Amino acid sequence: MNSFIRFLSSSIGRKYVMAVTGLSLTLFLLVHMAGNLTLYAGNDAFNEYADLLESNPLLPLAEAGLLVLFVVHILFAVLLTGRNKTSRSDKYQSSLGMGAKTVASTTMWITGPVLLVFLVIHIWDFRISKELLDEYDLAQMVVDRLRHPVGFVIYTASIGMVGLHMWHAFQSAFQTLGVAHPRYRSLIQNTGRLITALLVAGFGGIPFYLFFTG
């Protein structure tokens, strides 16, 4: 137990936790995006999808697990950011071969907090606010929010931040987990870019579709 605590207290241990929780959240985002795409089929299709989820007895457990993932990921991000950046070894960066600085990598400290604010807004918009109503139409709530100019700007800008964050985070996670052999480097980078493009197009297309077809 003491060795495990020491591992979590170390920079590499915290990076491992960040990598595992980050990849898990990426999987969640892909599933969440697939569900949101039912909006293109109309309000009824989206509401049927939402009802199917809410009728699942495992939903509270899934939401609890998702909450833990977010909290742990954010907590360890804060702990890592608090560490002196100069403690990172240049040898570690160069030996993995994916340590080159990019706009995405140098703005992680910005995109992370912005996405946290967006997460709070998103949960309030479509999770908490509906609990305050006796009756609600979730699909119409989404449509109304994304057709409003303020909602459109918030969500499209936040999706852009998701893309910027993911562009670096995906390959960084595999780097941390030690999967950085030159043989796999291109595969990891291209897979990360593909997933990022899918998320941005999938999530981002919805507000544009709703706003401009109002």
Side-chain angles (χ1 to χ4, degrees), residues 92-104:
Y92 173 73
Q93 291 266 353
S94 61
S95 66
L96 292 175
M98 293 195 290
K101 288 185 177 181
T102 63
V103 174

Side-chain angles (χ1 to χ4, degrees), residues 17-209:
V17 174
M18 286 281 293
V20 172
T21 55
L23 291 174
S24 300
L25 290 172
T26 300
L27 179 60
F28 160 73
L29 286 176
L30 288 170
V31 174
H32 186 43
M33 179 197 70
N36 284 1
L37 293 179
T38 57
L39 274 167
Y40 287 112
N43 286 15
D44 290 342
F46 182 81
N47 282 332
E48 287 176 8
Y49 161 72
D51 290 341
L52 182 64
L53 283 182
E54 293 180 0
S55 63
N56 192 325
L58 296 179
L59 180 61
L61 183 62
E63 288 183 327
L66 186 60
L67 177 62
V68 170
L69 283 177
F70 273 111
V71 170
V72 170
H73 191 74
I74 294 168
L75 174 62
F76 277 75
V78 172
L79 292 174
L80 276 173
T81 303
R83 289 270 178 126
N84 190 340
K85 294 182 179 181
T86 59
S87 65
R88 295 179 179 177
S89 169
D90 293 335
K91 182 179 179 181
Y92 173 73
Q93 291 266 353
S94 61
S95 66
L96 292 175
M98 293 195 290
K101 288 185 177 181
T102 63
V103 174
S105 66
T106 55
T107 56
M108 292 291 279
W109 66 277
I110 298 176
T111 57
V114 170
L115 290 177
L116 175 58
V117 173
F118 169 69
L119 178 63
V120 173
I121 294 173
H122 187 60
I123 291 175
W124 173 263
D125 278 346
F126 305 123
R127 189 68 182 90
I128 297 177
S129 61
K130 72 176 186 179
E131 301 297 334
L132 303 177
L133 303 173
D134 294 328
E135 296 183 5
Y136 62 88
D137 183 331
L138 183 59
Q140 194 59 48
M141 290 172 66
V142 174
V143 170
D144 291 342
R145 187 71 166 104
L146 297 183
R147 280 181 176 166
H148 192 282
V150 175
F152 173 77
V153 170
I154 289 175
Y155 276 82
T156 52
S158 299
I159 290 162
M161 288 292 178
V162 169
L164 191 60
H165 195 80
M166 280 291 303
W167 191 265
H168 172 72
F170 187 85
Q171 67 178 20
S172 177
F174 280 93
Q175 173 181 313
T176 296
L177 296 174
V179 186
H181 192 280
R183 182 183 304 174
Y184 309 116
R185 191 180 306 154
S186 295
L187 176 62
I188 293 171
Q189 289 176 336
N190 291 333
T191 301
R193 290 165 182 169
L194 175 61
I195 290 176
T196 300
L198 285 174
L199 289 173
V200 172
F203 281 117
I206 294 171
F208 273 93
Y209 170 73

